Amino acid sequence: MGTINIKGEIFQFEEVKLTYENATTIDPTIAKQNLLDFKSILDQNKIKFLIMHGTLLGAIREQDFIKHDIDINTCTCDEEKLVKVIPLLDKIGLKLCRYEPTLIYSFIRDGVYIDVYIVNILQGLISPFYVRYLNHIIPRKFFRNIKKISFLGEKFQIPNHSIQLLEFWYGKNWRTPIDNSPSNDEDPKGSYLENQKRYKFLFKPILKIKR
């Protein structure tokens, strides 16, 4: 049994170990209802989120979930707001089943789960150019000037430069369906900047000088 602090109260949830090894292909009917219900709760509470990874790939390439997908992928910058609606999601059966602060929250119903990845805004001079996402430093441009796409009969927000992002994740041949092809989440340039000592100053908070 896992616990998470929500508004000063301890919320208990049943942890589920989710891995590629124990995953099964999603039921598209269940996946659709789960995502639409998830969207309804977040929209009502003014929490912005984007569809990502395989879900974004399916929405653009096939206008549906990809046949071999194992989960639903989304992201948000509003981790604090997301935590506050966990009880509301729980009431409609979308149960929190794992979480790692600043990284990921997963909600499951009828065997199909939604991953919500957290987009972390960086501090320092690098802030306008990169964010931390899935423990990697990736270009911030993907999360600026977001746009919408018709998917499952609704309008969903998607990252800016979506085609470029899909190429970043899946390569130039992203339009060709390939089973068991996880995304590549690491940006070599971002990782280089973070790992080189001489560039550490880029990540330090900028102190404002009082006049």
Side-chain angles (χ1 to χ4, degrees):
M1 187 70 71
T3 61
I4 183 172
N5 189 312
I6 303 177
K7 298 179 183 179
E9 296 186 5
I10 299 301
F11 181 90
Q12 293 187 327
F13 65 95
E14 184 177 349
E15 292 182 293
V16 177
K17 188 175 182 180
L18 302 173
T19 66
Y20 281 108
E21 289 72 22
N22 68 11
T24 57
T25 303
I26 61 174
D27 181 315
T29 302
I30 296 174
K32 175 181 179 180
Q33 196 58 57
N34 282 6
L35 182 54
L36 291 178
D37 288 349
F38 175 82
K39 181 180 187 299
S40 177
I41 293 293
L42 267 64
D43 285 353
Q44 289 172 30
N45 289 274
K46 296 180 172 54
I47 303 173
K48 294 182 179 179
F49 76 98
L50 312 178
I51 54 174
M52 299 289 278
H53 299 278
T55 307
L56 176 64
L57 176 62
I60 291 178
R61 189 180 69 194
E62 301 171 27
Q63 296 78 55
D64 202 348
F65 296 107
I66 53 180
K67 294 181 179 179
H68 54 270
D69 214 347
I70 60 173
D71 58 6
I72 301 168
N73 307 119
T74 70
C75 77
T76 185
C77 294
D78 295 328
E79 181 177 11
E80 186 176 343
K81 289 184 179 180
L82 177 68
V83 170
K84 290 179 180 178
V85 300
I86 287 175
L88 299 178
L89 292 168
D90 186 79
K91 286 182 180 179
I92 62 171
L94 285 168
K95 305 288 186 178
L96 180 68
C97 59
R98 71 171 170 185
Y99 87 98
E100 295 181 49
T102 74
L103 183 65
I104 185 174
Y105 293 72
S106 298
F107 302 87
I108 193 167
R109 185 173 67 181
D110 297 330
V112 176
Y113 63 94
I114 300 172
D115 282 335
V116 188
Y117 305 116
I118 305 302
V119 180
N120 297 279
I121 305 302
L122 297 170
Q123 300 185 56
L125 295 173
I126 202 165
S127 179
F129 309 105
Y130 286 91
V131 296
R132 186 179 298 282
Y133 178 75
L134 286 173
N135 283 332
H136 295 296
I137 304 297
I138 72 169
R140 188 171 180 175
K141 65 181 180 181
F142 297 129
F143 304 95
R144 283 202 174 97
N145 303 318
I146 56 179
K147 50 191 177 182
K148 292 186 178 181
I149 189 173
S150 294
F151 183 51
L152 306 178
E154 291 277 353
K155 291 288 187 180
F156 282 86
Q157 293 183 323
I158 62 174
N160 196 16
H161 307 291
S162 295
I163 302 304
Q164 189 178 352
L165 181 56
L166 290 173
E167 290 179 355
F168 168 70
W169 280 333
Y170 302 105
K172 296 288 186 180
N173 64 339
W174 64 270
R175 291 180 176 84
T176 303
I178 302 174
D179 289 353
N180 301 317
S181 179
S183 61
N184 170 39
D185 302 314
E186 183 172 5
D187 177 72
K189 187 175 181 180
S191 297
Y192 176 80
L193 290 173
E194 184 177 32
N195 294 325
Q196 293 293 314
K197 289 184 178 180
R198 58 179 169 168
Y199 293 121
K200 290 296 183 183
F201 73 94
L202 294 174
F203 296 84
K204 292 182 179 179
I206 300 173
L207 298 177
K208 294 183 179 181
I209 300 175
K210 294 184 178 179
R211 293 184 181 273

